[in-house]
Amino acid sequence: IQILIYLSVLVYAFDCALDPLYVILLALFNDITMIPIAEDRQTASAEPEHAGVGSLVGFSMALGTMQSIASLVFYLSMDKGLVKGIGPHDEVGYPTGLHAQNAIWLQISIAAEFLIFSARAPGLFFFSRPSTELIVSTMLGNIIATALAMFTFGEPLDLYEVAIIWAYDIIALFVVDITKLIYKFVFNHNAAGIIDERAIALEDAQMGKPAEEGQPVTDFANTVAKHRESVRLIGEEVQRKSQRKSRAKSFIAAGCANRPSQRSVKLGSGGRKSVTVAGGGGSRASLRKMTPATAAREGGR
C-alpha cells in the first residue's frame, strides 16, 4: 500500500518517476525478508479469533497510509539538509535526479522492513520480541539495501545521509505504531487481548483451591441443583446471543429489527386513518390478506 500510494503521488504530483529497478528491488527485498514470519513468536489470544476481511483491509490501509505520509514528509524535507545536493524546492523545483531517487528508495526500503515489527505486535512493538530468524532477516535486508545505496547505485549516498535516513525511519516507526494503537482503540476496542500466562498463574496462586475440591460429594441434591443452574444460565446467554443475531439479520433484510404492521380504521367522515400496531398484533381478520377484487371493493367504499 505504501509503495502504491507514495510512488503514485511522486509521479503524478511531483513528476518524479522512480527507476523500475528500484521498484523491483523493493518488492523483492520485502518478499524475501518476510519468509521467516512463519517462525515468528506469538502469544495466544484470550478468545478465538475470526479473520474479518474488512478489518484486515482497514488495518492495512491505516498503516500503509501513515507510512506513505511519513515518506512524503521525508521527500518534501530533503532540501532541509536531509539529503545533500538538494536545493530549495521553491527555487529549483522538487528533486527528481538519480541521487534523490537513491535516497527515496533507501527510505522506503528501510521503512517497509521496520513495518513488520509494528504490524505483528498486539501492542507497542518494543513489548513484543520477534523471533530471532525474523530479526536477522529484516536487519540483513536493511544492511544489504544500505550497502547498495552507498556502493552500487549511481550517485551513491554517503554515511551522513544514510544515518539520517535510518534515524528518520526509526522515528517514523514509533509514529506508525501509535497510529496502529489508535486504529485498534477506535475499531477493535472489543478485542479480547492476549493471554497473560504470568498473570493467570499469579491469580491461581492467590485464589487457592476451594475447600470442597477433591472431596467426595455428600449433598447430591445441592450439587445437581448448582449444575442445573449453571446449565440454565449458559442456555439463557446463548438464547440472548441468538436473539441479537436474529434482530441484526432482520434489520439487514427489512431495515428494522421488528417491523410494525399497519391496519386501516374507518373514520366517521368516510376517510381512513393508518394506525401502527407494534409487533404485528391484533385480530386475524383485520390483518387478513386481500385479493385484488377485495382490495378494489374496499377502495370504493
Side-chain angles (χ1 to χ4, degrees):
I1 294 175
Q2 176 197 14
I3 295 175
L4 176 64
I5 296 177
Y6 181 44
L7 296 187
S8 297
V9 172
L10 288 182
V11 171
Y12 294 110
F14 304 103
D15 196 24
C16 179
L18 209 62
D19 190 281
L21 176 62
Y22 290 126
V23 180
I24 295 173
L25 289 176
L26 280 174
L28 184 64
F29 272 89
N30 192 254
D31 289 342
I32 292 178
T33 56
M34 290 302 106
I35 293 176
I37 194 67
E39 305 296 332
D40 191 23
R41 300 171 65 253
Q42 283 296 331
T43 305
S45 61
E47 294 181 359
E49 293 187 357
H50 302 279
V53 176
S55 178
L56 293 176
V57 171
F59 183 71
S60 302
M61 287 296 299
L63 297 188
T65 301
M66 182 52 63
Q67 284 273 74
S68 301
I69 293 175
S71 295
L72 188 59
V73 171
F74 175 82
Y75 177 76
L76 296 177
S77 304
M78 289 172 66
D79 62 337
K80 309 299 181 183
L82 300 182
V83 179
K84 297 178 179 179
I86 305 297
H89 299 328
D90 53 353
E91 296 180 5
V92 298
Y94 295 102
T96 59
L98 188 57
H99 189 70
Q101 291 187 31
N102 200 349
I104 292 170
W105 176 81
L106 183 61
Q107 189 276 320
I108 302 176
S109 180
I110 295 177
E113 298 295 335
F114 281 163
L115 181 61
I116 187 59
F117 296 139
S118 176
R120 60 169 295 281
L124 293 173
F125 74 92
F126 47 81
F127 286 137
S128 178
R129 180 184 177 275
S131 65
T132 303
E133 294 84 356
L134 184 61
I135 295 176
V136 171
S137 175
T138 301
M139 299 311 297
L140 182 61
N142 285 336
I143 292 173
I144 294 176
T146 301
L148 291 175
M150 293 182 66
F151 306 111
T152 304
F153 297 149
E155 300 187 22
L157 304 176
D158 61 20
L159 185 60
Y160 168 81
E161 294 169 317
V162 168
I164 290 293
I165 293 174
W166 272 77
Y168 182 88
D169 282 337
I170 292 174
I171 296 173
L173 175 61
F174 282 89
V175 176
V176 171
D177 212 39
I178 294 174
T179 302
K180 175 193 70 178
L181 295 182
I182 295 174
Y183 176 87
K184 287 190 173 184
F185 178 80
V186 174
F187 297 101
N188 294 338
H189 60 278
N190 291 326
I194 61 175
I195 297 177
D196 192 339
E197 300 288 351
R198 289 178 295 181
I200 294 176
L202 179 61
E203 183 179 354
D204 290 343
Q206 292 175 347
M207 289 177 59
K209 294 184 178 180
E212 64 273 11
E213 184 175 341
Q215 301 297 324
V217 176
T218 56
D219 190 351
F220 183 76
N222 188 32
T223 302
V224 172
K226 289 182 178 180
H227 175 72
R228 289 177 175 173
E229 178 66 14
S230 300
V231 172
R232 184 185 66 81
L233 293 176
I234 294 173
E236 290 179 353
E237 179 63 22
V238 172
Q239 185 177 8
R240 282 194 294 269
K241 291 182 178 179
S242 177
Q243 290 174 350
R244 286 196 294 268
K245 292 181 180 179
S246 177
R247 286 195 295 267
K249 292 179 180 178
S250 176
F251 181 83
I252 294 173
C256 60
N258 188 12
R259 195 177 186 87
S261 62
Q262 291 186 340
R263 66 174 68 172
S264 294
V265 180
K266 293 182 180 179
L267 300 178
S269 60
R272 290 181 179 272
K273 179 181 179 182
S274 178
V275 180
T276 300
V277 183
S283 63
R284 187 183 301 273
S286 62
L287 298 177
R288 70 185 185 279
K289 294 182 179 179
M290 295 183 8
T291 63
T294 305
R297 287 197 300 271
E298 291 288 338
R301 292 181 182 178

